Amino acid sequence: MTRPAGQPLDARGRRRTLLAAAVCLLPLLLQLALPVAIVVAAVGVLVTSVSGRRQLPAWLRGAAALALLGWVLVQAGGTVGRETGCALLAAMLAVKPSELRTLRDARSLLGFALFAPFATFLLDQGPLSLLLGLAGTLLVVVALLALSDAESGLAPDSDRRRWATALRLIALGLPLALAVFWLFPRLSTPLWGVPDRASATPGLSDEMGAGQWLDLLADDSPALRAAFTGPEPTVSQMYWRGPTLTDYDGRTWTRSRRQPPARPDLIAHGTPTWDYEVVIEPTGRDLLVALDLPTALPDGVRGTRDYTLRSPRRLDSVSRWRLRSAPPRQFEAELPALARAEALRVPAGLNPRTRALARQWRAETRDDAALVARALAWIERDFAYTLDTPLPGRNAIDDFLFDQQAGFCEHFSSAFTVLMREAGIPARVVTGYVGGRRNAYGNYWLVRRMDAHAWNEVWLEGRGWVRVDPTAAVAPERIYDTLEDRLAAGRVGGARFAPIFDLGDWARRGWNDFILGFDADRQQTMLHRLGLGGLGASGLVALLTVVALLALGAMGWLIARSERERDPLLRAWHRMGRRYARRGLGRLPHEPASAWAARIAPATGDAAELTALTRRFVAARYAADPADPMLAHDLRAHRPTATPAAKETSP
């Protein structure tokens, strides 16, 4: 019987619908900026609580939705991107329960909630997002089954049966999902133009400004994982080299716009040599990092003369690189005049005290190496490491060297470079990561964004560019301590949580390897093992079409096979009727139950039992008091028997 579209939703159905919508929204909230996630969640709880007691006027619901959407746009700074779109979706989903009154409203809310897990995958493809998304989808399916029961007017299924049905539906779709994952042609760019995230991803970039690194140094998310196949460097040798910054305007360091291609002949590598595979987390940029200086660049990677490495594509997903590196014995022994001029350039009219000190030191010695050592000794003696620093003034280097004398790698590398340049020594800033933590469950090293670091390179006669780390001179524990040391110091929750941390990261690495790292090369390797190597994009599409059609056919067959009457009494009656039909005594489509029993009774050996069962069935279906708890059991147990005449003629 069809019920009106406005059939009211009972309290249990409301709770079930809200729970499913909340679980769908949860993974999306975890990917949004913390203030946005907190406000959206709070509005969702408030709207749900108030609207559960009384229906809010339409104008108030509209005003609340507009206010929340406007606030989200203001928080995004008016920029449009994936994060802004996902935040708007979360805000609308938080307000949607304000109109939850009927079964139709519940079905609308559940359908809308399913967009949240899909939107989450635009921001994160991690295992937690997948598990929460699957949990939300499962709850939505169970809630929809309950709504269907309420709308049909039939006896509702038990929750256990609904869960079994939902799991079966998801299992039916799993082969098709796996076929699409394994066989869909891997492309270097998405099929659709997904806009960038509205907020910048913390990480290395082509510039380093005052205070820009504070967010990066507080970010404990993974930056890269590296696994060595031979000798491993010590922690103090793990300088993961990133962009080199040469130009300085008094506030910000940027890359030089004149960067000729890398020349391997400029480097004489020393020993040892390290072979490793580095897996880099998505950054949304094309910058690569490598341990010290690679002996050769991977295919497609572009390098500049200062050995800043760039990927052939933007790193929007997990990427894997095989490299061989070694510390340089000599790096660019001959410095061209233009490059020298760039590496000596300082802003005019700034930092007079730094200039005076450098000139004084230069007047006292002509030995560049001795001058570098003197600067390092001064820093080690008189300076301190801290992240609590004031905003820089006009003469930022003077303020740091002579007044503040405390800061972090951004301050030390910047001041050291200017001091060396004022003394006539070519110098530049190098950014990257330092150190790492060896995972106890996997043979690899984890480097986090909080391991970001800035150091210097100075050019010395006969040696070329030489690495100098003034921050390590004043705070070696900041540079060389592993994350395990920091855990032991209680900074990130205590060493007792280190095994849990390692286990979680090991699981995440496995997820990256088997799911996110399944690229075109691994797809071709899998097809080659199946004897299908060499398939191009068109061949893959054809293969995927065939497999998908087979999967859809299997799904349709299984669904049709498992389709059955939901009423257990009617199901038992139909089953008994099929038994008689196999003997040629089936009921005609227009034939009432009693007429059918009366017609076939002479041809059966159990006419009395069949007639009695038919009478009980008719009473149960149409009488005022249909209670007959044993009827379904008796119908299932009944078996047609042959007539006496048939027994006599049988062999």
Side-chain angles (χ1 to χ4, degrees):
M1 182 176 65
T2 302
R3 299 294 179 88
Q7 182 178 346
L9 182 68
D10 61 20
R12 189 175 183 186
R14 177 182 174 82
R15 288 195 299 271
R16 184 183 287 117
T17 301
L18 291 173
L19 174 63
V23 175
C24 286
L25 179 59
L26 179 59
L28 183 56
L29 291 179
L30 293 177
Q31 299 304 320
L32 299 180
L34 186 59
V36 175
I38 291 175
V39 170
V40 169
V43 170
V45 172
L46 180 63
V47 167
T48 302
S49 176
V50 173
S51 61
R53 291 191 286 270
R54 54 174 299 184
Q55 185 172 14
L56 299 176
W59 68 267
L60 184 56
R61 299 199 303 267
L66 290 176
L68 184 57
L69 296 178
W71 181 83
V72 169
L73 288 174
V74 170
Q75 290 297 306
T79 57
V80 178
R82 277 180 288 174
E83 199 166 61
T84 304
C86 291
L88 291 174
L89 173 64
M92 288 187 286
L93 187 53
V95 179
K96 183 71 174 172
S98 64
E99 56 183 17
L100 182 61
R101 290 290 165 187
T102 65
L103 296 181
R104 184 180 60 184
D105 298 335
R107 191 174 286 110
S108 173
L109 174 59
L110 292 171
F112 187 33
L114 284 176
F115 283 93
F118 293 113
T120 304
F121 295 131
L122 296 176
L123 305 177
D124 177 71
Q125 294 85 41
L128 180 60
S129 294
L130 177 64
L131 290 176
L132 290 175
L134 285 176
T137 303
L138 188 60
L139 286 171
V140 166
V141 174
V142 172
L144 287 173
L145 289 172
L147 292 178
S148 179
D149 283 347
E151 199 169 37
S152 68
L154 297 175
D157 272 343
S158 64
D159 285 341
R160 181 179 178 182
R161 184 180 294 276
R162 289 197 193 102
W163 280 95
T165 302
L167 289 171
R168 187 169 62 250
L169 290 174
I170 292 178
L172 284 174
L174 191 59
L176 181 60
L178 293 177
V180 172
F181 174 76
W182 279 323
L183 299 178
F184 194 88
R186 260 44 184 181
L187 304 176
S188 58
T189 55
L191 288 175
W192 58 90
V194 180
D196 296 340
R197 294 188 75 150
S199 60
T201 303
L204 303 178
S205 69
D206 285 332
E207 66 175 41
M208 182 182 75
Q212 285 185 350
W213 275 35
L214 286 175
D215 291 340
L216 181 60
L217 296 176
D219 185 357
D220 64 349
S221 60
L224 61 92
R225 296 174 180 85
F228 294 86
T229 56
E232 294 187 354
T234 63
V235 175
S236 61
Q237 290 176 313
M238 287 188 184
Y239 276 80
W240 304 92
R241 200 170 185 277
T244 300
L245 310 178
T246 304
D247 294 343
Y248 181 57
D249 63 2
R251 306 283 294 183
T252 304
W253 289 91
T254 55
R255 286 188 44 72
S256 170
R257 283 173 290 186
R258 191 194 67 82
Q259 283 294 334
R263 288 176 47 192
D265 60 302
L266 295 181
I267 303 176
H269 288 282
T271 55
T273 299
W274 302 299
D275 291 293
Y276 58 101
E277 180 184 77
V278 60
V279 179
I280 300 178
E281 291 287 321
T283 61
R285 303 184 177 95
D286 63 352
L287 291 170
L288 290 176
V289 295
L291 183 62
D292 227 320
L293 291 177
T295 58
L297 300 184
D299 292 340
V301 172
R302 295 174 288 113
T304 52
R305 189 184 182 96
D306 59 7
Y307 269 73
T308 295
L309 307 183
R310 292 191 179 277
S311 163
R313 60 184 182 277
R314 201 173 62 173
L315 304 180
D316 289 325
S317 59
V318 174
S319 59
R320 185 186 310 271
W321 309 89
R322 286 194 174 279
L323 292 162
R324 170 178 291 179
S325 293
R329 182 165 46 81
Q330 191 178 65
F331 181 13
E332 197 170 10
E334 300 294 331
L335 191 62
L338 189 56
R340 173 183 289 274
E342 284 186 341
L344 289 173
R345 187 181 303 148
V346 292
L350 298 180
N351 305 304
R353 287 189 287 176
T354 302
R355 181 177 301 113
L357 177 65
R359 290 178 177 176
Q360 175 196 331
W361 284 2
R362 174 54 75 193
E364 295 173 2
T365 180
R366 304 306 301 171
D367 187 340
D368 289 352
L371 200 148
V372 171
R374 181 173 184 176
L376 288 175
W378 179 39
I379 290 174
E380 182 179 5
R381 183 182 67 246
D382 293 343
F383 287 70
Y385 183 91
T386 180
L387 294 178
D388 185 13
T389 57
L391 292 175
R394 170 178 165 78
N395 297 305
I397 304 301
D398 278 1
D399 295 342
F400 174 73
L401 289 178
F402 301 102
D403 301 326
Q404 183 179 330
Q405 295 195 325
F408 52 95
C409 60
E410 176 186 303
H411 302 91
F412 286 105
S413 60
S414 180
F416 193 84
T417 305
V418 173
L419 181 61
M420 292 298 104
R421 289 183 175 186
E422 292 285 8
I425 301 175
R428 60 194 183 191
V429 173
V430 183
T431 59
Y433 302 96
V434 169
R437 167 180 170 76
R438 187 179 182 81
N439 189 284
Y441 298 94
N443 184 28
Y444 70 94
W445 289 81
L446 168 67
V447 179
R448 310 202 131 213
R449 290 194 168 100
M450 64 191 300
D451 296 317
H453 189 50
W455 60 94
N456 299 101
E457 285 180 347
V458 297
W459 191 88
L460 301 178
E461 190 68 35
R463 299 174 59 186
W465 291 106
V466 177
R467 183 174 65 220
V468 179
D469 191 347
T471 312
V474 66
E477 71 282 359
R478 167 64 184 87
I479 309 303
Y480 302 132
D481 280 2
T482 64
L483 184 59
E484 191 171 20
D485 299 324
R486 299 176 202 175
L487 287 168
R491 180 177 178 180
V492 204
R496 62 183 180 277
F497 295 122
I500 300 175
F501 174 84
D502 284 346
L503 186 61
D505 190 73
W506 175 77
R508 177 66 191 228
R509 187 206 184 205
W511 175 266
N512 290 346
D513 285 345
F514 292 105
I515 304 297
L516 301 185
F518 189 77
D519 53 14
D521 292 338
R522 293 183 61 185
Q523 186 180 47
Q524 287 299 324
T525 301
M526 180 197 72
L527 293 173
H528 183 75
R529 290 174 179 170
L530 295 175
L532 300 172
L535 280 181
S538 57
L540 280 171
V541 170
L543 179 61
L544 174 61
T545 303
V546 172
V547 175
L549 289 176
L550 291 175
L552 288 172
M555 289 168 59
W557 179 75
L558 288 172
I559 290 174
R561 184 173 178 271
S562 61
E563 189 67 29
R564 61 179 185 172
E565 177 57 53
R566 297 184 61 192
D567 186 341
L569 178 60
L570 200 55
R571 187 165 62 244
W573 171 257
H574 287 160
R575 181 178 297 176
M576 186 189 76
R578 286 194 294 272
R579 295 191 188 111
Y580 279 98
R582 287 194 286 270
R583 292 173 175 268
L585 301 174
R587 187 169 63 89
L588 300 176
H590 60 275
E591 199 170 26
S594 300
W596 167 69
R599 179 173 63 83
I600 70 169
T604 66
D606 52 5
E609 183 179 358
L610 174 62
T611 302
L613 283 173
T614 303
R615 189 179 300 112
R616 289 170 61 193
F617 171 73
V618 171
R621 295 287 293 177
Y622 306 109
D625 183 13
D628 190 345
M630 293 303 296
L631 177 56
H633 173 270
D634 294 343
L635 288 173
R636 288 193 297 268
H638 177 73
R639 296 290 185 276
T641 57
T643 62
K647 288 180 180 178
E648 292 172 0
T649 57
S650 62

